[in-house]
Amino acid sequence: QAALDLIICHYNDWYLPSIDELRLMYNTIGNGSPLGNIGGFETDMYPNYAYWSSTEGHFSVYSFLNYFSDGDKWMMPKNGNYSVRPIRSF
């Protein structure tokens, strides 16, 4: 809900990316990019280098995370303390 309520530079169409969108971000502007981590994602400090996605897992109490340290994805309980990176369509 926080991503949906976010307003930055007069834009109010932010949302939490899906796991596929996060993986694309890792591969194009994160550590997996040939250009390096130009998106400025945290890659060293646990648990900050794991980013929540909007993709739910089993029983709606789990969601997928993408780790920007190595590109792995994991399903974790939603009550975990991890980072978010709201995005918007362009």
Side-chain angles (χ1 to χ4, degrees), residues 25-80:
M25 292 166 66
Y26 174 81
N27 289 319
T28 57
I29 62 172
N31 261 4
S33 167
L35 301 174
N37 186 14
I38 62 174
F41 293 91
E42 179 64 56
T43 60
D44 295 326
M45 250 173 63
Y46 178 82
N48 297 334
Y49 56 73
Y51 289 82
W52 283 115
S53 79
S54 62
T55 306
E56 290 188 324
H58 301 300
F59 309 114
S60 299
V61 295
Y62 294 93
S63 280
F64 282 94
L65 297 167
N66 196 90
Y67 286 77
F68 274 73
S69 55
D70 58 12
D72 281 350
K73 72 175 185 177
W74 291 88
M75 185 173 44
M76 300 294 284
K78 289 182 181 179
N79 64 353

Side-chain angles (χ1 to χ4, degrees), residues 3-4 6-8 10-15 87-90:
L4 295 175
L6 188 61
I7 299 173
I8 299 175
H10 305 291
Y11 294 106
N12 64 354
D13 55 348
W14 300 92
Y15 65 93
I87 63 171
R88 56 186 296 271
S89 297
F90 58 92

